Structure formats: C-alpha cells, structure tokens
Amino acid sequence: MSTSARRIRTLCVALLLLAGITSAGQAQRFWRGVNPYNPYGYSSRVWRNAYRFAPLAASYGNYLQGAAEVVDAQVNAVNTLQQGIYLRRMLDSQEGQGARQQEQPPQAAKAQAQGPARRGKAVKQVQYEQMLTAGEELKEQESTAVRRLLTNALPSEITSGYAVNTLLPYLASLVEKGVHGPQVPLDQEELKYINVTKLTGTTNTGNAGLLRNGGHLHWPEALKGETQQRLAKLLPQAVSQAAENNSVDPALLADIAKAVDALDKELRQKNRSDEIEPASYLEARRFLENLRAAVTLLQSPDPASFLNGTVIARGSNVQELIQHMMAENLRFAPATPGTEPAYLDLYHAMVAFANGTKGAGENEDSSFRLLIPGAGANAVPASKQP
Amino acid sequence: MHDPIPSLVPSVIRAAALLAACLSFGPSRAAAQEQKQEKPQVAVGKCREIPGALIERDKAGAPWKLLKSDDAVLSEALLIALPEAQIVSNNGAVQLIMMADISRRGPLPVLESAVRIHENPKVDLDITLSRGIVVFKNLKDQGAGKVTVRFRGQTWNITLKDPGALVGMEIYGRYCAGCRKFLDKSGEKTRADVMPSFTVFLLVREGHATIHTRKQELAMDEPPGPALLQWDSDDNEAEVTRLEKAPPSLRPTTQEEINKYKTICDSIKHMLEKPVDSVPQEFRDSPDDTERRVAAVLAGALDQVPQMIDALSDTQHADVRDTAVRVLRNWIGRGPRQLERLYQGLTDHGKMTPNQAKTAIQLLFGFDDDQQEQPATYELLIGYLQHDSLPIRELARWHLVRLVPKGQKFDYDAGASEEKRKEATEKWKALIPEGKLPPSLKSGPVEKK
C-alpha cells in the first residue's frame, strides 16, 4: 500500500473518530456512564434531537453554566473526599481487591501497589482524615445529582418528576438561608398540569393526574376491551365518591384494583400472542403505572383535596412554589400523558431560578452562584452576605 | 430493484416538488425530465487503485457489474465501494476515494460507500453522496480543484484551494432511538413524522478549502485552524469547529489493521468473482466467517431485502445475525421508504404476521432514554428471547446485551435449541427480575421516584 493511500485511509479513520473530539462534553450526558447505542460518546445534534426536549441541553448549556458553578465548589470537595472512600474500601476488606481496583483512582492504586505495610500506615491516616459519615456520602451523591440536573437533565428525568424533586430541596435550602433568587414567574395555566403527591412517611398519596377529567380516561388502544370498559364505568363513580365524601367505598376500590390487575394480565397476554407491537405495549404499561398511582390516591386518607384543587402546585413564581411545596410536604408526581410540556417548562423555570441569571441585570449579586463560600471571583461580597 | 439514490430527497418533498412541477409546466416539463433521464451516459472518471471492489449499476434495474482499474466510470451510474476504491475525475484534476469503515475503528458503522457521478463541465467533479465516506484530493500541480457534492437535497461546492489539498466527508443516517409506531393509519405508508436523521462530517486534513453551502460560505484550513464541519439534517445548519492540531485518531494504521484489511479485501475480491447479485445468497453459509459477514453487508449494499432477512434468520451463525442487525439499521437509515420495503419483505419473504413485522422493525429502532428506564422494557425484551420468531429473538438479544452488558456472559444464542434458550433466558430473568430495572440502573430516576 502506498504512503499516500495510507495517509488518506488514516484521514478517513480520523473523520470517523472526530465525533468524539467535537463533543467531549456530550458524553457526560449519558449519566450512567455509557450509552449502549453510542459507546464511543459520539455526539451529534441528530441524537440530541431524538427527543423533543433534547435541544435544551445545547441551548441552555451556556445559560446554565453559572448554575453549575453553584455546586462546583462542593463537587471539588467531593472529588477529594471520594479518594478517601476508595482508600477506606481498600482497607475494609482483603477480598475482591481485583474488582475494586477498577474503581480506584490512580493514587489509590499506586498506594496499594506499594505494599500492605505502607498501605496500613499511610493510607490509614488519609482514611482517618477524610472519612465520610453516611450523611456526608448522601450529601455528596445529592450534590453531584443537583449539579448534573442543573445542566443536563434527561427528558425522562424531567417528566418522571425526578429532576424537579431533586432540585426542590436544594433550592429550598437556599431559600431557607434567606437568599432571594430572581423572580421567575410561573405560567398558572401550566401549573395546573403539574401533578403533586404528599409524602406520608416512606410512601406517598399517589397521583391524581389521570383522574383530572372526573375519572374519564383517554385509554390506549392496547388496553381497550371488556375489562377496560368495566373500569371506565367504575372510575368515574370512585372519583365522584372521593370528591363528595372524601372517601371511596372499599368494595368499589377492591373492584377497581381487581380490574386493573386483570387489565395488566390481559395486556401481557396480548403481548405474548403478538396481538400488539412493542411500542403499544410500553405505552400501555406506562399508562397502567399511572392508573395504579391514581388508585393509590383514591385509597389515600384525603383524596378530595387532590381532586377538588385544594392540594395543588401553587405559586406565582418559583420561590413561592418551592416554599409552598415544602410547607405542605408535597412532591412532584410523574407527568401523565399530555402534561409533559408543563414539566419541561417548570424544570426550566427552576433552573433559571437556581442560575439566578434572569433579572441579574437589576441585581446581579442576588444570583445564587455568588453564594458559594470560597468560590474565588464568585464569592459573595461581605456586604451582601446574609 | 429499488434504486436507493432517489430517496436522498425526502419523499414528501419530492412528491410536492413533482406535483408543483406538473401543475406549473404541465406535460412539457415532464417530457423534459424524461428526456433528461434518457440523456446518454458518458465517461466522467476513471478507476484507479481498487483495493476491494467497486461495483456499478448503470441504471435502475440493470445488473451490477464489477469495475476494474482503468475502467471508465459512467455518469449517473450508481457506484458502491467495498471497502475502498479510487477514482480520478475525467480531467485528472481531482481524485475521489470511496471508503467504508471495515476495521470498525470509528464510532459509525460505515458499511459501504455509494456515490453517483454527474457530468458537469463547470467543476472538476460533481457527485451525489449517498452513503459512506469519500475523500477528495486536488491532483493539480497549480490552482484549485472544484468539487460539487449533493446529498439530502443539499448542494455544496467545495474548492480545494491548494495542490494536494485533502478533504474527507462522511454522511451517516439513522433513526433516532425510540420504539415507536411507524406506519400511518392506512397501515401501508410510513408516518410523515418518522424520518431518519442525517449527519455529515467534513474534515480538511491538508491545505485549505472553501465550502459553499446554500446558506453559508465557509473558509476552512487544516489543523491548526477551522478544520472540521458538521451538518445535521434536523436543523440544516453547518457548524465549523477549530482544531488546534491533528486529532489523536490520525494515528498510522497498525500492521494488524493492515493485515485485517487485506484479508477482507481478498475475501471480497474472491466473492465477487461470481455474479454480483448472487453473492449474498451464495456466501451466506460460507465456512469462512469473514465471507459470511461480507455477504450480509453486500445484501444491504445491493438492496437485497430477502437476503438481509435471511441473514437475520440464520439458524446456524450468530455472527451473521448480529451483522444483519447492523446492516438493517444502516439500511433503514437511508430513508423513510426503506421501512415500508422492509415491512413488506418481513411479511412476504420472512413469513411474519403484520404485528411480528412491526415488532421487528420497532426493535430495530431501539429504545430511548425514557424506555430504557422502564422495567417493562426489560420484561418485554426478556420475553422476546423465547419468541417463536428467530429474528425477534435475535433483535431482543442484540439490545439486551447492549443495554445490560453484564448479561453477555449468559451466552444466549437466538438460534440455539429451545432448551438452551430457556436456560439462558432464566439467567436473564434472575439478573433483571420482573418489575425491576437492571442492576446498573438501580440508582436511576425510576428507583428514586
């Protein structure tokens, strides 16, 4: 093969591999580490646009950079502490070292390679100094999640309520400290489509989202049939009882629960017998999840308050919403079909609030990013500190 | 046989354009179009080195023929390179290298390169890039080389400003992940909103070049400089990225890669001693694994839907089925009409029920982030491991081992006996119990809801 031909071939290979260069930052979008269909971290607007929400990652990238700085300081600290965790794990057990080595930073691996005696002395000191408590580890995980969600939430994380629920306590903690973020107004019409649930110990009160229309649901084709028709009659009765009496006849609830189980079985059977295609099956399964959450709500102690609009996401702006949600012990329930755009807008509003760039022209120092202690140029001027 | 090139322009746009043309000009324009199509083919280039194979089809329906070094290349003929062929423009000013990524060094499974060269005296080389990688080199001793490249309704004019200037270009089409319905209410046509997306990369490796798109004029240089351009069909925008130095991926080809490349080229040459159209069928059961896989790739390159389906249904060779999945994903990514053709093929040749055919195609799309975070997705896929249809079993396996690499060790073989399949399926079920997410996703949003 001639030199020229080789050079050209190399160029072609480079062209193929360049995707990774153009988009080093994109790989982190796949927060679990590796996208199974894109193991090279190949980036393209094509793939971002796979979702209708996807362009947000690009369009909000710079906009949200400041927000990311909010937690940068914490993350830097975490990176240091992370090494402590690794080192502690090394000492915790003599077994499984091979497997663990994969997750050790180079420093830790080096220390390990230097022998058990040295490891016992030197590393123990590091461990002692840097040992994290369980609470600190949890905080570390949370801050990492917040940092990522402020810049790069996946559409599914937004519509599942995970993103906004993770940001909620973080923003609430800032508000509690007396920090006033920018006024980010909320569209009151859209807010009506945000589902909420009340925390009761380790469980919640379900999701009223599907029952908004008096229990008259828009059923997926894959679920339609006799059982669905029976449920379609039972649900409005239950919603009516819940709204009027704040409770539902247990026998009616039992009938509903039984019918939902039957519907689930029928759906699986339809799938097994190739009566439905995968897209329909997954859509129907997601619908059934929401339906079960709606049944949980009907079984909860105070269903009327969710159905008559007493317990809702409330607030003319993000700060008011945060305060209301925390005061009422509410969390965001997953989006139900058709409400996804409202979740996207709410997420953007919460991120804008965190970023503090909206209205920054009027009072730039009010932005949250200025409140990280020891953040160099971003440090809060003494006169502005709360 | 279907000609893939006309599908370069989205069919809806083509239909609208055709309708508008007919309404505006009536039969005279249609006649002119016909006359244009019947324009005699002329030599527009000459084959140079062909390490693999270069096949040509003069017009739709004509038999494929194998080109050799020094053969003339005819205008409007569809040319497919497997994996590499070099052509020089008629005036000797520009060299065109067509390439596929057979050694899989890159992230994109570029299986073949396909172009059509047009007669255009205004430029040195005028091509329609259908798929794959092409490289242009200015062979002139002095002055610029001019190239026109057409793709997906775009026309770019590339000026290779210096002698020896080297510019590479690649087009890549895929359906975005997401298991979704693709047929409209008639059940026969692809829904208008189900379209593959296309990305084009252009890299200036040596010298300087200017790129004229319809909207932009871009001056590009080798690194350090604005060397990389990326275009996407979704926003129809070209973005240029500055590279400070040649990317690390510009490493020399290793001896191992050279050997592998030679093996594949030799296989292709040997296979194409037979009539081109018969090769995918002829070598599907070859004892040589390279030949089997090349046969599957060739089936896609030649638009042989039945042979692609046969490869996906191969009971003996797991490697052929695995290759067939990539070939099919690549093949449907060429345009929306491909889905209809595959659906037809699966029901007719593959003897699948309509719902099974839809299932197979939806599985080819894959699963988006939302679906990957649904336990139902894994239940569905694990359930399909025991499906009666071998292609559906294979597609389920193909996704599962990618979504949950830990399960690769179960060695599930979609072509194995029912007993063996059941054994491996049980292991999958143990790894991902019903209603649960795979262990690697446990910290994901679903668990934290």
Side-chain angles (χ1 to χ4, degrees):
Chain A
M1 193 184 305
S2 69
T3 311
S4 170
R6 268 189 209 172
R7 205 169 46 185
I8 290 163
R9 182 159 305 127
T10 311
L11 163 61
C12 296
V13 170
L15 198 64
L16 289 163
L17 297 177
L18 266 168
I21 293 169
T22 57
S23 61
Q26 290 298 322
Q28 63 180 341
R29 184 165 78 86
F30 303 105
W31 59 280
R32 288 192 300 274
V34 178
N35 175 1
Y37 301 115
N38 183 11
Y40 301 89
Y42 175 62
S43 159
S44 156
R45 280 162 285 163
V46 169
W47 317 120
R48 288 205 298 272
N49 293 342
Y51 319 96
R52 57 197 162 120
F53 305 136
L56 68 92
S59 57
Y60 282 77
N62 294 331
Y63 179 59
L64 300 179
Q65 196 173 357
E69 288 168 8
V70 173
V71 284
D72 265 347
Q74 297 172 38
V75 172
N76 287 338
V78 163
N79 286 341
T80 310
L81 295 171
Q82 187 72 34
Q83 293 186 14
I85 298 174
Y86 287 128
L87 296 171
R88 194 181 63 205
R89 284 179 185 166
M90 282 166 53
L91 293 171
D92 279 347
S93 168
Q94 297 291 323
E95 293 176 6
Q97 286 183 357
R100 285 177 187 171
Q101 208 159 14
Q102 291 174 6
E103 56 184 38
Q104 290 166 6
Q107 296 92 326
K110 195 177 172 186
Q112 192 178 27
Q114 284 169 342
R118 184 187 171 92
R119 190 172 61 224
K121 289 177 183 174
V123 177
K124 262 187 179 171
Q125 291 308 305
V126 179
Q127 174 206 10
Y128 179 70
E129 289 166 12
Q130 300 188 336
M131 185 181 286
L132 298 177
T133 64
E136 281 172 330
E137 284 194 42
L138 188 63
K139 273 186 192 170
E140 167 207 325
Q141 288 169 7
E142 285 170 357
S143 66
T144 308
V146 167
R147 182 173 181 268
R148 186 182 59 76
L149 291 171
L150 281 170
T151 53
N152 231 347
L154 295 170
S156 57
E157 291 176 314
I158 297 170
T159 54
S160 70
Y162 170 68
V164 280
N165 276 329
T166 306
L167 294 179
L168 183 66
Y170 165 68
L171 297 179
S173 70
L174 294 174
V175 171
E176 270 175 25
K177 287 175 189 167
V179 178
H180 293 283
Q183 293 267 326
V184 182
L186 294 171
D187 184 324
Q188 294 303 300
E189 271 306 304
E190 283 203 330
L191 208 52
K192 290 178 187 170
Y193 292 101
I194 301 296
N195 303 317
V196 295
T197 186
K198 198 164 214 163
L199 294 179
T200 53
T202 55
T203 60
N204 61 54
T205 55
N207 188 349
L210 270 191
L211 305 175
R212 283 179 200 284
N213 193 22
H216 300 283
L217 313 186
H218 185 70
W219 295 87
E221 282 297 320
L223 290 176
K224 286 185 178 172
E226 277 182 25
T227 311
Q228 170 266 329
Q229 284 174 4
R230 188 151 49 91
L231 256 177
K233 285 178 189 162
L234 296 176
L235 283 169
Q237 289 176 35
V239 171
S240 174
Q241 281 185 21
E244 285 171 19
N245 312 327
N246 204 18
S247 68
V248 183
D249 175 12
L252 178 58
L253 276 176
D255 277 354
I256 290 173
K258 210 172 162 184
V260 172
D261 286 342
L263 208 53
D264 195 347
K265 275 186 188 166
E266 285 172 18
L267 179 68
R268 288 166 194 265
Q269 182 51 39
K270 282 179 187 172
N271 175 53
R272 276 194 292 271
S273 57
D274 287 332
E275 283 178 58
I276 51 172
E277 52 207 281
S280 304
Y281 177 74
L282 293 176
E283 179 197 13
R285 284 296 300 271
R286 176 52 60 86
F287 186 90
L288 279 177
E289 270 177 38
N290 287 325
L291 188 56
R292 287 187 194 280
V295 174
T296 303
L297 178 93
L298 292 171
Q299 292 166 333
S300 70
D302 184 19
S305 59
F306 289 88
L307 294 168
N308 62 19
T310 308
V311 179
I312 53 169
R314 203 189 299 271
S316 64
N317 57 49
V318 171
Q319 184 164 334
E320 285 182 18
L321 175 69
I322 291 165
Q323 287 170 328
H324 169 73
M325 295 286 288
M326 297 307 282
E328 297 293 323
N329 205 20
L330 297 178
R331 293 295 179 270
F332 298 102
T336 39
T339 64
E340 295 90 349
Y343 277 70
L344 181 66
D345 287 347
L346 174 64
Y347 165 76
H348 285 166
M350 290 175 77
V351 170
F353 181 69
N355 191 30
T357 51
K358 274 191 179 173
E362 297 139 29
N363 184 9
E364 197 169 12
D365 288 346
S366 68
S367 117
F368 286 149
R369 64 180 163 170
L370 302 174
L371 292 168
I372 297 300
N378 286 340
V380 184
S383 60
K384 300 280 183 181
Q385 283 181 1
Chain B
M1 191 178 289
H2 176 78
D3 185 343
I5 292 298
S7 67
L8 284 175
V9 180
S11 60
V12 176
I13 298 170
R14 281 209 318 274
L18 191 61
L19 184 64
C22 292
L23 289 174
S24 309
F25 302 102
S28 60
R29 171 56 71 97
Q33 190 76 20
E34 203 171 310
Q35 197 176 1
K36 189 183 171 188
Q37 283 174 355
E38 287 176 2
K39 193 176 165 184
Q41 291 177 301
V42 296
V44 284
K46 187 181 264 193
C47 298
R48 280 266 180 94
E49 191 184 345
I50 305 177
L54 180 64
I55 52 177
E56 180 194 64
R57 188 170 63 181
D58 295 346
K59 54 187 174 186
W64 293 96
K65 63 181 179 186
L66 193 63
L67 294 179
K68 294 189 173 63
S69 296
D70 294 330
D71 280 354
V73 174
L74 294 178
S75 59
E76 308 306 324
L78 178 60
L79 300 165
I80 296 177
L82 286 161
E84 182 186 342
Q86 299 171 15
I87 296 166
V88 174
S89 64
N90 231 12
N91 63 3
V94 173
Q95 185 180 20
L96 166 71
I97 301 108
M98 301 167 66
M99 286 203 74
D101 180 28
I102 54 165
S103 56
R104 295 173 72 177
R105 286 175 72 169
L108 310 179
V110 177
L111 302 178
E112 80 268 7
S113 174
V115 305
R116 204 182 282 270
I117 304 180
H118 310 289
E119 185 191 11
N120 184 351
K122 292 178 184 170
V123 293
D124 297 310
L125 184 68
D126 184 344
I127 69 162
T128 292
L129 175 58
S130 173
R131 49 196 188 266
I133 303 168
V134 287
V135 177
F136 307 110
K137 184 177 184 183
N138 184 2
L139 298 179
K140 289 181 180 174
D141 293 333
Q142 283 185 332
K146 292 188 175 178
V147 178
T148 296
V149 184
R150 304 160 198 271
F151 59 92
R152 311 301 311 173
Q154 299 285 308
T155 302
W156 288 8
N157 292 308
I158 301 172
T159 305
L160 307 165
K161 294 177 86 172
D162 327 293
L166 200 62
V167 171
M169 198 171 171
E170 175 184 358
I171 187 166
Y172 183 76
R174 276 290 187 279
Y175 279 97
C176 296
C179 194
R180 57 200 182 277
K181 294 176 186 174
F182 60 95
L183 289 178
D184 65 7
K185 283 181 182 172
S186 73
E188 292 173 357
K189 301 282 177 196
T190 306
R191 280 167 42 169
D193 61 339
V194 178
M195 294 271 286
S197 295
F198 293 86
T199 297
V200 167
F201 283 101
L202 184 148
L203 174 68
V204 178
R205 179 63 186 99
E206 285 177 22
H208 309 277
T210 52
I211 319 294
H212 296 254
T213 70
R214 276 183 186 162
K215 297 198 283 187
Q216 295 159 287
E217 182 176 343
L218 306 160
M220 298 182 65
D221 298 328
E222 65 182 29
L228 180 69
L229 184 153
Q230 184 181 351
W231 175 90
D232 265 45
S233 61
D234 287 356
D235 59 9
N236 191 17
E237 290 288 336
E239 281 180 8
V240 175
T241 304
R242 182 182 168 83
L243 300 181
E244 289 307 321
K245 55 182 181 180
S249 52
L250 278 175
R251 61 183 165 86
T253 313
T254 64
Q255 191 56 47
E256 190 187 351
E257 284 170 329
I258 291 169
N259 293 344
K260 190 178 172 187
Y261 184 81
K262 192 174 178 307
T263 305
I264 293 175
C265 288
D266 290 346
S267 287
I268 292 170
K269 280 180 177 168
H270 163 67
M271 292 165 76
L272 288 171
E273 285 168 5
K274 306 249 177 190
V276 177
D277 289 290
S278 70
V279 169
Q281 181 72 31
E282 192 106 8
F283 288 87
R284 192 161 63 80
D285 292 323
S286 166
D288 183 317
D289 61 338
T290 301
E291 287 186 350
R292 288 197 302 267
R293 288 200 296 268
V294 168
V297 169
L298 200 59
L302 301 180
D303 282 332
Q304 294 186 346
V305 178
Q307 278 67 35
M308 282 189 280
I309 293 170
D310 287 345
L312 185 64
S313 314
D314 191 315
T315 53
Q316 301 299 315
H317 306 110
D319 60 339
V320 172
R321 291 194 302 270
D322 189 81
T323 304
V325 177
R326 287 193 302 119
V327 168
L328 280 164
R329 279 168 61 91
N330 185 60
W331 187 81
I332 61 174
R334 286 196 217 158
R337 294 282 85 84
Q338 309 291 82
L339 294 182
E340 293 161 26
R341 296 185 61 208
L342 180 59
Y343 178 69
Q344 196 70 32
L346 288 168
T347 50
D348 293 348
H349 181 81
K351 308 285 181 211
M352 284 183 161
T353 66
N355 272 343
Q356 286 177 343
K358 287 176 194 168
T359 298
I361 291 175
Q362 289 180 11
L363 287 176
L364 281 171
F365 291 152
F367 299 91
D368 62 26
D369 286 324
D370 189 34
Q371 290 167 338
Q372 285 177 38
E373 284 154 12
Q374 275 192 60
T377 299
Y378 302 93
E379 288 171 31
L380 185 80
L381 288 172
I382 292 172
Y384 283 151
L385 293 180
Q386 288 296 84
H387 200 280
D388 291 340
S389 162
L390 173 54
I392 291 177
R393 292 200 299 269
E394 176 60 29
L395 284 161
R397 180 207 67 85
W398 197 88
H399 284 291
L400 272 172
V401 296
R402 279 161 179 78
L403 292 166
V404 193
K406 209 174 173 183
Q408 287 172 9
K409 63 184 176 192
F410 301 151
D411 279 336
Y412 172 88
D413 181 352
S417 67
E418 191 175 349
E419 196 183 336
K420 282 190 174 174
R421 279 190 275 122
K422 198 172 177 185
E423 196 179 310
T425 305
E426 290 305 319
K427 289 177 183 170
W428 273 105
K429 283 181 179 171
L431 179 67
I432 316 171
E434 197 168 300
K436 301 282 181 188
L437 283 169
S440 57
L441 301 186
K442 273 190 177 168
S443 60
V446 174
E447 294 289 313
K448 287 188 177 177
K449 266 181 205 171

PDB file of all heavy atoms in Angstrom, chain B residues 354-367:
ATOM      1  N   PRO B 354     -48.266  -9.402  10.360  1.00  0.00           N
ATOM      2  CA  PRO B 354     -48.041  -7.945  10.364  1.00  0.00           C
ATOM      3  C   PRO B 354     -47.520  -7.437  11.705  1.00  0.00           C
ATOM      4  O   PRO B 354     -46.599  -6.621  11.740  1.00  0.00           O
ATOM      5  CB  PRO B 354     -49.432  -7.386  10.059  1.00  0.00           C
ATOM      6  CG  PRO B 354     -50.072  -8.443   9.222  1.00  0.00           C
ATOM      7  CD  PRO B 354     -49.579  -9.740   9.787  1.00  0.00           C
ATOM      8  N   ASN B 355     -48.059  -7.943  12.805  1.00  0.00           N
ATOM      9  CA  ASN B 355     -47.589  -7.458  14.109  1.00  0.00           C
ATOM     10  C   ASN B 355     -46.164  -7.907  14.406  1.00  0.00           C
ATOM     11  O   ASN B 355     -45.399  -7.188  15.047  1.00  0.00           O
ATOM     12  CB  ASN B 355     -48.530  -7.915  15.229  1.00  0.00           C
ATOM     13  CG  ASN B 355     -49.658  -6.933  15.432  1.00  0.00           C
ATOM     14  OD1 ASN B 355     -49.588  -5.783  14.979  1.00  0.00           O
ATOM     15  ND2 ASN B 355     -50.705  -7.368  16.099  1.00  0.00           N
ATOM     16  N   GLN B 356     -45.813  -9.092  13.950  1.00  0.00           N
ATOM     17  CA  GLN B 356     -44.428  -9.542  14.152  1.00  0.00           C
ATOM     18  C   GLN B 356     -43.466  -8.673  13.337  1.00  0.00           C
ATOM     19  O   GLN B 356     -42.384  -8.326  13.812  1.00  0.00           O
ATOM     20  CB  GLN B 356     -44.290 -11.009  13.743  1.00  0.00           C
ATOM     21  CG  GLN B 356     -44.906 -11.973  14.738  1.00  0.00           C
ATOM     22  CD  GLN B 356     -44.822 -13.411  14.274  1.00  0.00           C
ATOM     23  OE1 GLN B 356     -44.597 -13.688  13.092  1.00  0.00           O
ATOM     24  NE2 GLN B 356     -45.003 -14.339  15.202  1.00  0.00           N
ATOM     25  N   ALA B 357     -43.881  -8.331  12.125  1.00  0.00           N
ATOM     26  CA  ALA B 357     -43.037  -7.471  11.281  1.00  0.00           C
ATOM     27  C   ALA B 357     -42.878  -6.091  11.920  1.00  0.00           C
ATOM     28  O   ALA B 357     -41.781  -5.520  11.936  1.00  0.00           O
ATOM     29  CB  ALA B 357     -43.643  -7.349   9.892  1.00  0.00           C
ATOM     30  N   LYS B 358     -43.977  -5.577  12.462  1.00  0.00           N
ATOM     31  CA  LYS B 358     -43.891  -4.271  13.145  1.00  0.00           C
ATOM     32  C   LYS B 358     -42.969  -4.379  14.355  1.00  0.00           C
ATOM     33  O   LYS B 358     -42.171  -3.484  14.637  1.00  0.00           O
ATOM     34  CB  LYS B 358     -45.281  -3.824  13.595  1.00  0.00           C
ATOM     35  CG  LYS B 358     -46.176  -3.355  12.463  1.00  0.00           C
ATOM     36  CD  LYS B 358     -47.553  -3.036  12.998  1.00  0.00           C
ATOM     37  CE  LYS B 358     -48.560  -2.903  11.864  1.00  0.00           C
ATOM     38  NZ  LYS B 358     -49.938  -2.873  12.348  1.00  0.00           N
ATOM     39  N   THR B 359     -43.089  -5.487  15.073  1.00  0.00           N
ATOM     40  CA  THR B 359     -42.239  -5.685  16.250  1.00  0.00           C
ATOM     41  C   THR B 359     -40.764  -5.688  15.850  1.00  0.00           C
ATOM     42  O   THR B 359     -39.937  -5.021  16.479  1.00  0.00           O
ATOM     43  CB  THR B 359     -42.600  -7.021  16.941  1.00  0.00           C
ATOM     44  OG1 THR B 359     -43.950  -6.939  17.387  1.00  0.00           O
ATOM     45  CG2 THR B 359     -41.694  -7.307  18.122  1.00  0.00           C
ATOM     46  N   ALA B 360     -40.451  -6.416  14.796  1.00  0.00           N
ATOM     47  CA  ALA B 360     -39.050  -6.497  14.361  1.00  0.00           C
ATOM     48  C   ALA B 360     -38.526  -5.110  13.995  1.00  0.00           C
ATOM     49  O   ALA B 360     -37.409  -4.735  14.382  1.00  0.00           O
ATOM     50  CB  ALA B 360     -38.937  -7.440  13.163  1.00  0.00           C
ATOM     51  N   ILE B 361     -39.323  -4.337  13.288  1.00  0.00           N
ATOM     52  CA  ILE B 361     -38.854  -3.007  12.867  1.00  0.00           C
ATOM     53  C   ILE B 361     -38.739  -2.069  14.066  1.00  0.00           C
ATOM     54  O   ILE B 361     -37.772  -1.304  14.187  1.00  0.00           O
ATOM     55  CB  ILE B 361     -39.785  -2.439  11.768  1.00  0.00           C
ATOM     56  CG1 ILE B 361     -39.597  -3.271  10.491  1.00  0.00           C
ATOM     57  CG2 ILE B 361     -39.484  -0.970  11.500  1.00  0.00           C
ATOM     58  CD1 ILE B 361     -40.528  -2.919   9.361  1.00  0.00           C
ATOM     59  N   GLN B 362     -39.717  -2.153  14.968  1.00  0.00           N
ATOM     60  CA  GLN B 362     -39.619  -1.293  16.159  1.00  0.00           C
ATOM     61  C   GLN B 362     -38.404  -1.669  16.999  1.00  0.00           C
ATOM     62  O   GLN B 362     -37.784  -0.811  17.622  1.00  0.00           O
ATOM     63  CB  GLN B 362     -40.900  -1.396  16.984  1.00  0.00           C
ATOM     64  CG  GLN B 362     -42.083  -0.715  16.293  1.00  0.00           C
ATOM     65  CD  GLN B 362     -43.360  -0.796  17.086  1.00  0.00           C
ATOM     66  OE1 GLN B 362     -43.364  -1.178  18.244  1.00  0.00           O
ATOM     67  NE2 GLN B 362     -44.463  -0.430  16.460  1.00  0.00           N
ATOM     68  N   LEU B 363     -38.070  -2.941  17.008  1.00  0.00           N
ATOM     69  CA  LEU B 363     -36.868  -3.350  17.737  1.00  0.00           C
ATOM     70  C   LEU B 363     -35.608  -2.834  17.044  1.00  0.00           C
ATOM     71  O   LEU B 363     -34.605  -2.552  17.696  1.00  0.00           O
ATOM     72  CB  LEU B 363     -36.813  -4.868  17.877  1.00  0.00           C
ATOM     73  CG  LEU B 363     -37.806  -5.477  18.875  1.00  0.00           C
ATOM     74  CD1 LEU B 363     -37.730  -7.006  18.847  1.00  0.00           C
ATOM     75  CD2 LEU B 363     -37.541  -4.989  20.297  1.00  0.00           C
ATOM     76  N   LEU B 364     -35.669  -2.702  15.729  1.00  0.00           N
ATOM     77  CA  LEU B 364     -34.501  -2.132  15.032  1.00  0.00           C
ATOM     78  C   LEU B 364     -34.270  -0.684  15.449  1.00  0.00           C
ATOM     79  O   LEU B 364     -33.139  -0.209  15.493  1.00  0.00           O
ATOM     80  CB  LEU B 364     -34.699  -2.207  13.514  1.00  0.00           C
ATOM     81  CG  LEU B 364     -34.439  -3.561  12.862  1.00  0.00           C
ATOM     82  CD1 LEU B 364     -34.889  -3.552  11.407  1.00  0.00           C
ATOM     83  CD2 LEU B 364     -32.966  -3.940  12.942  1.00  0.00           C
ATOM     84  N   PHE B 365     -35.345   0.043  15.755  1.00  0.00           N
ATOM     85  CA  PHE B 365     -35.195   1.441  16.205  1.00  0.00           C
ATOM     86  C   PHE B 365     -34.429   1.511  17.531  1.00  0.00           C
ATOM     87  O   PHE B 365     -33.676   2.436  17.771  1.00  0.00           O
ATOM     88  CB  PHE B 365     -36.555   2.101  16.435  1.00  0.00           C
ATOM     89  CG  PHE B 365     -37.360   2.343  15.185  1.00  0.00           C
ATOM     90  CD1 PHE B 365     -38.745   2.380  15.229  1.00  0.00           C
ATOM     91  CD2 PHE B 365     -36.748   2.553  13.969  1.00  0.00           C
ATOM     92  CE1 PHE B 365     -39.503   2.603  14.095  1.00  0.00           C
ATOM     93  CE2 PHE B 365     -37.487   2.783  12.822  1.00  0.00           C
ATOM     94  CZ  PHE B 365     -38.870   2.806  12.886  1.00  0.00           C
ATOM     95  N   GLY B 366     -34.695   0.551  18.411  1.00  0.00           N
ATOM     96  CA  GLY B 366     -34.079   0.613  19.736  1.00  0.00           C
ATOM     97  C   GLY B 366     -34.955   1.367  20.721  1.00  0.00           C
ATOM     98  O   GLY B 366     -36.120   1.662  20.436  1.00  0.00           O
ATOM     99  N   PHE B 367     -34.372   1.704  21.872  1.00  0.00           N
ATOM    100  CA  PHE B 367     -35.150   2.262  22.974  1.00  0.00           C
ATOM    101  C   PHE B 367     -34.556   3.595  23.414  1.00  0.00           C
ATOM    102  O   PHE B 367     -33.345   3.715  23.589  1.00  0.00           O
ATOM    103  CB  PHE B 367     -35.171   1.280  24.150  1.00  0.00           C
ATOM    104  CG  PHE B 367     -35.814  -0.026  23.772  1.00  0.00           C
ATOM    105  CD1 PHE B 367     -35.049  -1.076  23.280  1.00  0.00           C
ATOM    106  CD2 PHE B 367     -37.180  -0.203  23.851  1.00  0.00           C
ATOM    107  CE1 PHE B 367     -35.633  -2.266  22.891  1.00  0.00           C
ATOM    108  CE2 PHE B 367     -37.780  -1.384  23.465  1.00  0.00           C
ATOM    109  CZ  PHE B 367     -37.004  -2.419  22.982  1.00  0.00           C
TER     110      PHE B 367
END
